[in-house]
Amino acid sequence: MPDTSIPEIVIGRLPIYLRTLSRMAAAGKVYTSSHELGQHLGISSAQIRKDLSHFGEFGKQGTGYNISFLTAQLKRILKVDSVQDVALIGVGDLGRAIAHYQGFLDRGFRVTALFDNDPEKIGTKIGGLVIQDYERMETDIRQQEIRIAMLAVPFTEAQNATDILVKAGIQAILSYAPISIKVPAHVHVEYIDPVLHLQKMTFFLE
Amino acid sequence: MPDTSIPEIVIGRLPIYLRTLSRMAAAGKVYTSSHELGQHLGISSAQIRKDLSHFGEFGKQGTGYNISFLTAQLKRILKVDSVQDVALIGVGDLGRAIAHYQGFLDRGFRVTALFDNDPEKIGTKIGGLVIQDYERMETDIRQQEIRIAMLAVPFTEAQNATDILVKAGIQAILSYAPISIKVPAHVHVEYIDPVLHLQKMTFFLE
DNA sequence: TAGATTGTTAATCGATTAACAATC
DNA sequence: TAGATTGTTAATCGATTAACAATC
């Protein structure tokens, strides 16, 4: 059971460390240090050491961190050492791009179910998966014991789809819909809305 | 000129306020309060009032905020009261979805240039825009005075594309490539990597 | 050994929140 | 007027960083 006293902001940085370590391993490096990691990411070495210290001692004085060892530890901590099944709701342009994306499996995820409410799409296939009707969403997700969903529906449809996901027992939702969705406290929601990033950056334009 | 003493974290929340106000306006509401806004977003009313106070006084005691007035003020502050042109680099599945996305214009952005380095794609059209060769990236972006780019290339190509964008005078980059890119200090970079969100949420799975 | 780097502590820094006078 | 809500101050809370003993 994860220690819930660990700040959420710390958990949010672990995947970034993991991603950077993977790049280093691919480049043939064997050891790294908090200083080197920090330089890559633009954060302080102290922060990296502090973050990791919440979970154990993974380094050696003088030599730093063994990259493959630290990678394995972070994967274990984040529970991505086994592959997590993900349901994808909404198969428009964006949903299609997500379904085709080859970058999930390496990092612990696999889209194993597709749903849409457009009769024209239902029954067609993407990457070997049949697009299913909303009707089947609750039972399919339960049967497959899927705990994570990605939401790529129009924002007008987001809350409705969310309500079905919650009924199906989904515990985590990554939503691409540009709207705040309501969920019970036990369901985690994260959002991706590119326009929020663009608007933020526009403020800083010269 | 924006007051640079305003914390970046505050700027990051303004687009969220703006998005919520738009939803309220669409629902026919005329006034709202910091309390109501906070409830929608799951943040405290004090934080909303504090954030807004960096930029002026936009509310009235007793009645709260006029939604269309506050919307106009936030758009002005974020500089999205005029439409910003955006270049899109990389027209794979994701780039295609971005190019087709209808949700940008309403919120201040318009994709006006597409680039790819795949000879098979160069010269073909998406939504009325011709996909141009990398060769033309620097000059086209300069000529069109584009200041913002979205990066949807494979991660192996991200730094190379970024270097060209920087030479072209781009000031802000929204990157979908799962890798940290290096830019000069005057260029703002934001990242979207869905796997980071998924891995973070997986930690909290029961 | 000498140099390097960890994990941890304490200090600093910055963000959030509670409270309330002002006032619509 | 009475009730509601702002904008702001001061207090609280939490995150980041500097520093260093331990030790590889």
Short mmCIF file of all heavy atoms in Angstrom, two decimals, chain D residues 2 4-11 13-15 17-22:
data_model
loop_
_atom_site.label_atom_id
_atom_site.label_comp_id
_atom_site.label_asym_id
_atom_site.label_seq_id
_atom_site.Cartn_x
_atom_site.Cartn_y
_atom_site.Cartn_z
P DA D 2 -30.74 46.34 9.40
OP1 DA D 2 -31.67 45.95 10.47
OP2 DA D 2 -29.38 46.79 9.72
"O5'" DA D 2 -30.63 45.12 8.38
"C5'" DA D 2 -31.82 44.49 7.89
"C4'" DA D 2 -31.42 43.31 7.02
"O4'" DA D 2 -30.78 43.79 5.82
"C3'" DA D 2 -30.41 42.35 7.67
"O3'" DA D 2 -30.74 41.03 7.29
"C2'" DA D 2 -29.07 42.82 7.14
"C1'" DA D 2 -29.45 43.29 5.73
N9 DA D 2 -28.62 44.37 5.22
C8 DA D 2 -27.93 45.32 5.93
N7 DA D 2 -27.27 46.17 5.18
C5 DA D 2 -27.55 45.76 3.89
C6 DA D 2 -27.15 46.24 2.64
N6 DA D 2 -26.36 47.31 2.48
N1 DA D 2 -27.61 45.61 1.55
C2 DA D 2 -28.41 44.55 1.70
N3 DA D 2 -28.86 44.00 2.84
C4 DA D 2 -28.37 44.66 3.89
P DA D 4 -26.98 35.90 2.80
OP1 DA D 4 -27.71 34.77 2.23
OP2 DA D 4 -26.21 35.78 4.05
"O5'" DA D 4 -26.01 36.47 1.68
"C5'" DA D 4 -26.55 37.12 0.53
"C4'" DA D 4 -25.40 37.67 -0.29
"O4'" DA D 4 -24.89 38.86 0.35
"C3'" DA D 4 -24.22 36.71 -0.42
"O3'" DA D 4 -23.89 36.61 -1.79
"C2'" DA D 4 -23.10 37.34 0.40
"C1'" DA D 4 -23.48 38.81 0.39
N9 DA D 4 -23.08 39.55 1.59
C8 DA D 4 -23.23 39.16 2.89
N7 DA D 4 -22.79 40.03 3.76
C5 DA D 4 -22.31 41.07 2.98
C6 DA D 4 -21.70 42.30 3.30
N6 DA D 4 -21.48 42.71 4.57
N1 DA D 4 -21.33 43.11 2.27
C2 DA D 4 -21.57 42.69 1.02
N3 DA D 4 -22.13 41.58 0.59
C4 DA D 4 -22.48 40.79 1.64
P DT D 5 -22.85 35.52 -2.33
OP1 DT D 5 -23.35 35.09 -3.65
OP2 DT D 5 -22.55 34.55 -1.26
"O5'" DT D 5 -21.56 36.39 -2.54
"C5'" DT D 5 -21.59 37.49 -3.44
"C4'" DT D 5 -20.33 38.27 -3.26
"O4'" DT D 5 -20.36 38.98 -2.00
"C3'" DT D 5 -19.06 37.43 -3.23
"O3'" DT D 5 -18.15 37.91 -4.19
"C2'" DT D 5 -18.52 37.61 -1.83
"C1'" DT D 5 -19.06 39.00 -1.51
N1 DT D 5 -19.07 39.32 -0.07
C2 DT D 5 -18.65 40.56 0.33
O2 DT D 5 -18.28 41.43 -0.44
N3 DT D 5 -18.66 40.76 1.69
C4 DT D 5 -19.05 39.86 2.65
O4 DT D 5 -19.01 40.17 3.84
C5 DT D 5 -19.49 38.58 2.17
C7 DT D 5 -19.92 37.53 3.14
C6 DT D 5 -19.48 38.36 0.85
P DT D 6 -16.79 37.20 -4.58
OP1 DT D 6 -17.00 36.60 -5.90
OP2 DT D 6 -16.30 36.38 -3.46
"O5'" DT D 6 -15.85 38.47 -4.73
"C5'" DT D 6 -16.32 39.61 -5.44
"C4'" DT D 6 -15.74 40.86 -4.84
"O4'" DT D 6 -16.11 40.91 -3.44
"C3'" DT D 6 -14.22 40.92 -4.89
"O3'" DT D 6 -13.80 41.96 -5.75
"C2'" DT D 6 -13.76 41.14 -3.45
"C1'" DT D 6 -15.03 41.40 -2.68
N1 DT D 6 -15.10 40.75 -1.35
C2 DT D 6 -14.90 41.52 -0.23
O2 DT D 6 -14.66 42.71 -0.28
N3 DT D 6 -15.00 40.83 0.96
C4 DT D 6 -15.28 39.49 1.14
O4 DT D 6 -15.35 39.01 2.26
C5 DT D 6 -15.46 38.74 -0.07
C7 DT D 6 -15.75 37.28 0.01
C6 DT D 6 -15.37 39.39 -1.25
P DG D 7 -12.38 41.92 -6.48
OP1 DG D 7 -12.40 42.88 -7.59
OP2 DG D 7 -12.03 40.50 -6.71
"O5'" DG D 7 -11.44 42.47 -5.32
"C5'" DG D 7 -11.47 43.84 -5.00
"C4'" DG D 7 -10.53 44.10 -3.84
"O4'" DG D 7 -10.97 43.33 -2.69
"C3'" DG D 7 -9.08 43.71 -4.06
"O3'" DG D 7 -8.28 44.76 -3.52
"C2'" DG D 7 -8.92 42.39 -3.33
"C1'" DG D 7 -9.88 42.58 -2.17
N9 DG D 7 -10.45 41.36 -1.61
C8 DG D 7 -10.87 40.24 -2.30
N7 DG D 7 -11.36 39.32 -1.51
C5 DG D 7 -11.26 39.85 -0.23
C6 DG D 7 -11.63 39.31 1.02
O6 DG D 7 -12.15 38.21 1.26
N1 DG D 7 -11.37 40.19 2.07
C2 DG D 7 -10.81 41.42 1.92
N2 DG D 7 -10.62 42.13 3.04
N3 DG D 7 -10.45 41.95 0.75
C4 DG D 7 -10.71 41.11 -0.28
P DT D 8 -6.71 44.72 -3.49
OP1 DT D 8 -6.23 46.09 -3.66
OP2 DT D 8 -6.24 43.63 -4.38
"O5'" DT D 8 -6.44 44.28 -1.98
"C5'" DT D 8 -6.94 45.11 -0.95
"C4'" DT D 8 -6.45 44.56 0.38
"O4'" DT D 8 -7.19 43.36 0.73
"C3'" DT D 8 -4.98 44.17 0.40
"O3'" DT D 8 -4.43 44.59 1.64
"C2'" DT D 8 -5.01 42.65 0.31
"C1'" DT D 8 -6.28 42.36 1.11
N1 DT D 8 -6.92 41.04 0.84
C2 DT D 8 -7.52 40.39 1.89
O2 DT D 8 -7.58 40.85 3.01
N3 DT D 8 -8.08 39.18 1.57
C4 DT D 8 -8.08 38.57 0.33
O4 DT D 8 -8.62 37.47 0.17
C5 DT D 8 -7.42 39.30 -0.73
C7 DT D 8 -7.36 38.72 -2.11
C6 DT D 8 -6.88 40.49 -0.42
P DT D 9 -2.89 44.84 1.77
OP1 DT D 9 -2.64 46.27 1.57
OP2 DT D 9 -2.15 43.82 0.97
"O5'" DT D 9 -2.69 44.48 3.32
"C5'" DT D 9 -3.77 44.67 4.23
"C4'" DT D 9 -3.69 43.60 5.29
"O4'" DT D 9 -4.38 42.41 4.83
"C3'" DT D 9 -2.28 43.16 5.64
"O3'" DT D 9 -2.06 43.30 7.03
"C2'" DT D 9 -2.18 41.71 5.18
"C1'" DT D 9 -3.64 41.27 5.19
N1 DT D 9 -3.99 40.21 4.20
C2 DT D 9 -4.82 39.20 4.59
O2 DT D 9 -5.29 39.12 5.72
N3 DT D 9 -5.11 38.27 3.62
C4 DT D 9 -4.64 38.26 2.32
O4 DT D 9 -4.98 37.37 1.56
C5 DT D 9 -3.77 39.36 1.98
C7 DT D 9 -3.20 39.43 0.59
C6 DT D 9 -3.48 40.26 2.91
P DA D 10 -0.63 43.12 7.65
OP1 DA D 10 -0.39 44.30 8.51
OP2 DA D 10 0.34 42.74 6.60
"O5'" DA D 10 -0.84 41.85 8.59
"C5'" DA D 10 -2.16 41.51 9.02
"C4'" DA D 10 -2.16 40.07 9.49
"O4'" DA D 10 -2.50 39.20 8.37
"C3'" DA D 10 -0.81 39.57 10.01
"O3'" DA D 10 -1.07 38.71 11.12
"C2'" DA D 10 -0.21 38.84 8.81
"C1'" DA D 10 -1.47 38.25 8.18
N9 DA D 10 -1.38 37.97 6.75
C8 DA D 10 -0.64 38.64 5.81
N7 DA D 10 -0.77 38.16 4.59
C5 DA D 10 -1.66 37.10 4.75
C6 DA D 10 -2.21 36.18 3.84
N6 DA D 10 -1.94 36.18 2.53
N1 DA D 10 -3.07 35.25 4.32
C2 DA D 10 -3.34 35.26 5.64
N3 DA D 10 -2.88 36.07 6.59
C4 DA D 10 -2.03 36.98 6.07
P DA D 11 0.10 37.86 11.80
OP1 DA D 11 -0.01 38.10 13.25
OP2 DA D 11 1.40 38.09 11.10
"O5'" DA D 11 -0.40 36.38 11.51
"C5'" DA D 11 -1.77 36.05 11.76
"C4'" DA D 11 -2.02 34.62 11.36
"O4'" DA D 11 -1.95 34.52 9.92
"C3'" DA D 11 -0.98 33.63 11.90
"O3'" DA D 11 -1.65 32.43 12.29
"C2'" DA D 11 -0.03 33.42 10.73
"C1'" DA D 11 -0.98 33.56 9.54
N9 DA D 11 -0.35 34.02 8.31
C8 DA D 11 0.58 35.02 8.18
N7 DA D 11 0.96 35.22 6.94
C5 DA D 11 0.23 34.28 6.21
C6 DA D 11 0.18 33.99 4.83
N6 DA D 11 0.91 34.62 3.91
N1 DA D 11 -0.66 33.01 4.44
C2 DA D 11 -1.39 32.37 5.36
N3 DA D 11 -1.44 32.56 6.69
C4 DA D 11 -0.58 33.55 7.04
P DC D 13 -1.68 25.26 9.99
OP1 DC D 13 -2.97 24.64 10.35
OP2 DC D 13 -0.52 25.23 10.92
"O5'" DC D 13 -1.23 24.65 8.60
"C5'" DC D 13 -1.92 25.04 7.40
"C4'" DC D 13 -0.98 24.89 6.24
"O4'" DC D 13 -0.04 25.98 6.22
"C3'" DC D 13 -0.14 23.62 6.29
"O3'" DC D 13 -0.64 22.74 5.31
"C2'" DC D 13 1.30 24.09 6.03
"C1'" DC D 13 1.12 25.53 5.54
N1 DC D 13 2.21 26.47 5.88
C2 DC D 13 2.83 27.18 4.84
O2 DC D 13 2.46 26.99 3.67
N3 DC D 13 3.80 28.06 5.14
C4 DC D 13 4.18 28.25 6.40
N4 DC D 13 5.15 29.14 6.64
C5 DC D 13 3.57 27.53 7.48
C6 DC D 13 2.60 26.66 7.18
P DG D 14 -0.06 21.28 5.12
OP1 DG D 14 -1.16 20.45 4.59
OP2 DG D 14 0.67 20.92 6.35
"O5'" DG D 14 1.01 21.46 3.96
"C5'" DG D 14 0.65 22.17 2.78
"C4'" DG D 14 1.88 22.37 1.95
"O4'" DG D 14 2.69 23.44 2.51
"C3'" DG D 14 2.80 21.16 1.88
"O3'" DG D 14 3.25 21.10 0.54
"C2'" DG D 14 3.93 21.51 2.84
"C1'" DG D 14 4.03 22.99 2.53
N9 DG D 14 4.77 23.81 3.48
C8 DG D 14 4.76 23.75 4.85
N7 DG D 14 5.54 24.64 5.41
C5 DG D 14 6.11 25.32 4.34
C6 DG D 14 7.04 26.38 4.31
O6 DG D 14 7.57 26.97 5.25
N1 DG D 14 7.35 26.77 3.01
C2 DG D 14 6.82 26.20 1.88
N2 DG D 14 7.23 26.70 0.70
N3 DG D 14 5.94 25.20 1.89
C4 DG D 14 5.64 24.82 3.15
P DA D 15 3.90 19.80 -0.11
OP1 DA D 15 2.82 18.96 -0.62
OP2 DA D 15 4.88 19.26 0.85
"O5'" DA D 15 4.71 20.42 -1.33
"C5'" DA D 15 4.48 21.76 -1.75
"C4'" DA D 15 5.80 22.40 -2.10
"O4'" DA D 15 6.36 23.05 -0.94
"C3'" DA D 15 6.86 21.45 -2.62
"O3'" DA D 15 7.45 22.03 -3.75
"C2'" DA D 15 7.83 21.30 -1.45
"C1'" DA D 15 7.72 22.69 -0.81
N9 DA D 15 8.04 22.76 0.61
C8 DA D 15 7.56 21.97 1.62
N7 DA D 15 8.02 22.29 2.81
C5 DA D 15 8.86 23.37 2.56
C6 DA D 15 9.65 24.17 3.40
N6 DA D 15 9.72 23.99 4.72
N1 DA D 15 10.36 25.16 2.84
C2 DA D 15 10.29 25.33 1.51
N3 DA D 15 9.58 24.65 0.62
C4 DA D 15 8.88 23.67 1.21
P DT D 17 14.51 24.42 -5.70
OP1 DT D 17 14.68 25.49 -6.69
OP2 DT D 17 14.61 23.00 -6.07
"O5'" DT D 17 15.53 24.70 -4.51
"C5'" DT D 17 15.40 25.91 -3.78
"C4'" DT D 17 16.45 25.96 -2.70
"O4'" DT D 17 16.05 25.13 -1.58
"C3'" DT D 17 17.83 25.47 -3.13
"O3'" DT D 17 18.76 26.41 -2.65
"C2'" DT D 17 17.97 24.11 -2.44
"C1'" DT D 17 17.14 24.34 -1.18
N1 DT D 17 16.55 23.13 -0.52
C2 DT D 17 16.58 23.06 0.85
O2 DT D 17 17.07 23.91 1.55
N3 DT D 17 15.99 21.93 1.38
C4 DT D 17 15.41 20.90 0.68
O4 DT D 17 14.91 19.95 1.26
C5 DT D 17 15.41 21.05 -0.76
C7 DT D 17 14.79 19.97 -1.61
C6 DT D 17 15.97 22.14 -1.29
P DA D 18 20.23 26.50 -3.22
OP1 DA D 18 20.30 27.73 -4.03
OP2 DA D 18 20.61 25.20 -3.80
"O5'" DA D 18 21.05 26.72 -1.89
"C5'" DA D 18 20.42 27.32 -0.76
"C4'" DA D 18 21.17 26.95 0.50
"O4'" DA D 18 20.60 25.75 1.08
"C3'" DA D 18 22.65 26.66 0.30
"O3'" DA D 18 23.33 27.19 1.44
"C2'" DA D 18 22.72 25.12 0.24
"C1'" DA D 18 21.60 24.75 1.20
N9 DA D 18 20.92 23.48 0.92
C8 DA D 18 20.62 22.93 -0.30
N7 DA D 18 19.97 21.79 -0.22
C5 DA D 18 19.83 21.58 1.14
C6 DA D 18 19.23 20.55 1.89
N6 DA D 18 18.62 19.49 1.33
N1 DA D 18 19.26 20.64 3.22
C2 DA D 18 19.85 21.71 3.78
N3 DA D 18 20.45 22.74 3.19
C4 DA D 18 20.40 22.61 1.85
P DA D 19 24.92 27.11 1.58
OP1 DA D 19 25.33 28.38 2.22
OP2 DA D 19 25.51 26.69 0.30
"O5'" DA D 19 25.12 25.95 2.64
"C5'" DA D 19 24.29 25.92 3.80
"C4'" DA D 19 24.61 24.68 4.59
"O4'" DA D 19 23.82 23.57 4.09
"C3'" DA D 19 26.07 24.23 4.50
"O3'" DA D 19 26.50 23.84 5.79
"C2'" DA D 19 26.03 23.07 3.52
"C1'" DA D 19 24.67 22.47 3.86
N9 DA D 19 24.07 21.65 2.81
C8 DA D 19 24.17 21.80 1.45
N7 DA D 19 23.50 20.90 0.76
C5 DA D 19 22.92 20.11 1.74
C6 DA D 19 22.09 18.98 1.66
N6 DA D 19 21.69 18.43 0.51
N1 DA D 19 21.68 18.42 2.82
C2 DA D 19 22.10 18.97 3.98
N3 DA D 19 22.88 20.02 4.18
C4 DA D 19 23.26 20.56 2.99
P DC D 20 28.03 23.65 6.11
OP1 DC D 20 28.30 24.48 7.31
OP2 DC D 20 28.84 23.80 4.89
"O5'" DC D 20 28.07 22.11 6.54
"C5'" DC D 20 27.09 21.60 7.43
"C4'" DC D 20 27.16 20.08 7.40
"O4'" DC D 20 26.35 19.58 6.32
"C3'" DC D 20 28.57 19.54 7.17
"O3'" DC D 20 28.79 18.38 7.95
"C2'" DC D 20 28.54 19.16 5.69
"C1'" DC D 20 27.11 18.62 5.62
N1 DC D 20 26.58 18.47 4.24
C2 DC D 20 25.57 17.52 4.02
O2 DC D 20 25.14 16.86 4.98
N3 DC D 20 25.10 17.35 2.76
C4 DC D 20 25.61 18.08 1.77
N4 DC D 20 25.12 17.87 0.53
C5 DC D 20 26.63 19.05 1.98
C6 DC D 20 27.08 19.22 3.23
P DA D 21 30.01 18.28 8.92
OP1 DA D 21 29.90 19.42 9.85
OP2 DA D 21 31.23 18.08 8.11
"O5'" DA D 21 29.70 16.95 9.73
"C5'" DA D 21 28.42 16.78 10.33
"C4'" DA D 21 27.90 15.37 10.05
"O4'" DA D 21 27.50 15.27 8.66
"C3'" DA D 21 28.94 14.28 10.27
"O3'" DA D 21 28.28 13.13 10.80
"C2'" DA D 21 29.47 14.04 8.87
"C1'" DA D 21 28.23 14.25 8.02
N9 DA D 21 28.47 14.69 6.67
C8 DA D 21 29.41 15.62 6.24
N7 DA D 21 29.39 15.83 4.95
C5 DA D 21 28.38 15.01 4.49
C6 DA D 21 27.86 14.77 3.20
N6 DA D 21 28.31 15.38 2.10
N1 DA D 21 26.86 13.87 3.09
C2 DA D 21 26.41 13.27 4.19
N3 DA D 21 26.82 13.41 5.44
C4 DA D 21 27.80 14.30 5.53
P DA D 22 29.02 11.77 11.03
OP1 DA D 22 28.39 11.13 12.20
OP2 DA D 22 30.47 12.06 11.00
"O5'" DA D 22 28.65 10.90 9.74
"C5'" DA D 22 27.32 10.52 9.50
"C4'" DA D 22 27.28 9.63 8.28
"O4'" DA D 22 27.60 10.42 7.10
"C3'" DA D 22 28.28 8.46 8.30
"O3'" DA D 22 27.60 7.29 7.89
"C2'" DA D 22 29.36 8.89 7.32
"C1'" DA D 22 28.55 9.73 6.32
N9 DA D 22 29.33 10.75 5.63
C8 DA D 22 30.26 11.62 6.16
N7 DA D 22 30.79 12.43 5.29
C5 DA D 22 30.17 12.10 4.10
C6 DA D 22 30.30 12.59 2.79
N6 DA D 22 31.11 13.59 2.46
N1 DA D 22 29.55 12.03 1.83
C2 DA D 22 28.70 11.03 2.15
N3 DA D 22 28.50 10.48 3.36
C4 DA D 22 29.27 11.06 4.29
#
